[in-house]
Amino acid sequence: MYIPRAIEETIRSVSKTFPVLLLTGPRQVGKTTLLQKMAEEKRGYVTLDDPDARYLAKSDPSLFLQRYVPPVTIDEIQYAPELLSYIKISVDKSHSKGDFWLTGSQMFHMMKGVSESLAGRIGIIDLLALSNSEINRKKSEPFSTDTQWLLSRVKIAQKMDLHEIYRRIFRGGMPALYVDDAPERDRFFASYVQSYLERDIRDLTQVADEMTFYNFLTIVAARTARPVVYEEIAKEVGISAPTVKQWLSILVSSRIIALVQPYHNNVLKRVVKMPLLHFLDTGLAAYLLKWSSPETLETGAMSGQFFESWVFSELFKSYLNLGLQPPVYYYRDKDQKEIDILLLRDGTLYPIEIKKAASPGADAVKNFGVLQPVTKPERFESQEQQRITVGQGAVICMANDLLPIDKKNWFVPAWMI
């Protein structure tokens, strides 16, 4: 059973614009299935998981491209970066759009070769696991706090109660878990983690000990929806703080996590500079931390963290699926005032708070006031150029319906994202 992906139109658009399309993302998110579903009959296909095809690609790239002529999909391109310069020669001769569709899981290795060989010739698209909208077969749109968008969205989104949302959080979004003959969840994730460690991490010279990296991965999962303190993670894992930074960059490149940067403006003097960490698939995080059921997760100590990371990942995917870079930041200052998400669009900041409550109360937006100085930077040493508008805000929560808090803020049910 194929679940249509929201990113399909973006792929069509990029393929009509560039001679080479690269679809990246974590393992098992459906990159190959998606491109095969979208491919026309004349497009060839080869995977570099095949040892014979990989050997030919690495030993004789020119002959490989004579055998697999464009238009062609080449799966797992990271296994033969030698092909990239030959693909460049091919597209420079043909001047045809969409000649090569490539997929790759190891962005950490791949991007240097891509940027050096195919600059100006390649469109890069990120694919993550299924979004809530895709699973529910609803239209996917970039999240907005705009009143008209919210009012139109609430009409088409599928309502979900607390238990349904936590079942979704517990399972995550991997497509294999939503087919008719889906594998048992724990078995799937055990295989997933083993493949990630043995095939992706083993190939990275920065990681010498797979079991230490697995321990690191588990400790990072426990810090989802929390600011990153490198020294704390280093002490708990038994590695250096620079190694923590290096390994986190691997997880970011693998699209296992996202590091959200703090919003910084010269008129906000007390902002904390630590990035905020979110696991992008809550099912994987729940597996790593040995949560046994949606019910124990929902009532457990990390319930709020998982809800926050799930909401963040859904919002994050709503932009990626339209080929847009998610314009996300967060706010935290030395007085411990926080805003979970700040969307920055067209010179306007839109504050978003995430609360695992059906009726959070009007004080849920109390921290939004910390942003007011950015609207009046003339008070701060003539920094008029730093002026930013603060737009409509939202509290994403477990409310049953879309409701106004005041003239500038809304309670938004989590199932609307």
Side-chain angles (χ1 to χ4, degrees), residues 14 30 44 60 87 108 112 144 197 257 300 351 402:
V14 169
D60 196 337
I87 290 174
F108 197 87
K112 182 180 179 182
S144 171
L197 293 174
I257 66 168
L402 176 69

Side-chain angles (χ1 to χ4, degrees), residues 352-394:
I352 299 171
E353 192 67 19
I354 303 171
K355 297 289 187 184
K356 185 209 161 190
S359 303
D363 65 347
V365 301
K366 64 183 179 181
N367 288 340
F368 292 0
V370 300
L371 300 175
Q372 284 307 307
V374 303
T375 68
K376 302 173 181 178
E378 63 273 12
R379 297 180 181 177
F380 297 84
E381 302 172 5
S382 301
Q383 298 179 70
E384 179 66 25
Q385 72 278 7
Q386 296 288 335
R387 181 188 293 276
I388 294 286
T389 302
V390 176
Q392 187 159 283

Side-chain angles (χ1 to χ4, degrees), residues 39-164:
E40 297 175 355
E41 191 173 320
K42 64 178 181 178
R43 181 174 292 274
Y45 171 82
V46 58
T47 177
L48 298 183
D49 261 338
D50 182 328
D52 292 333
R54 187 189 312 180
Y55 177 79
L56 180 59
K58 294 179 73 69
S59 61
D60 196 337
S62 179
L63 185 60
F64 178 92
L65 292 183
Q66 290 180 42
R67 167 61 183 86
Y68 300 103
V69 297
V72 62
T73 299
I74 303 176
D75 214 356
E76 305 290 5
I77 188 67
Q78 74 273 6
Y79 291 134
E82 296 86 353
L83 278 176
L84 296 175
S85 58
Y86 287 83
I87 290 174
K88 173 183 178 293
I89 294 170
S90 175
V91 299
D92 285 350
K93 285 181 180 178
S94 72
H95 302 289
S96 297
K97 308 300 184 187
D99 266 359
F100 292 90
W101 287 1
L102 314 177
T103 78
S105 303
Q106 292 182 16
M107 290 295 289
F108 197 87
H109 267 337
M110 199 165 36
M111 287 313 296
K112 182 180 179 182
V114 166
S115 60
E116 289 177 353
S117 302
L118 295 170
R121 302 166 179 85
I122 188 167
I124 302 173
I125 301 174
D126 287 331
L127 180 69
L128 297 183
L130 293 167
S131 69
N132 195 51
S133 294
E134 289 172 323
I135 296 169
N136 291 339
R137 308 296 181 97
K138 301 297 182 181
K139 182 180 180 181
S140 181
E141 303 170 301
F143 180 80
S144 171
T145 61
D146 175 74
T147 297
Q148 293 308 311
W149 186 88
L150 292 171
L151 291 173
S152 64
R153 181 69 180 174
V154 74
K155 295 176 182 178
I156 64 171
Q158 179 176 318
K159 287 192 174 184
M160 300 170 67
D161 63 23
L162 175 73
H163 303 296
E164 289 172 317

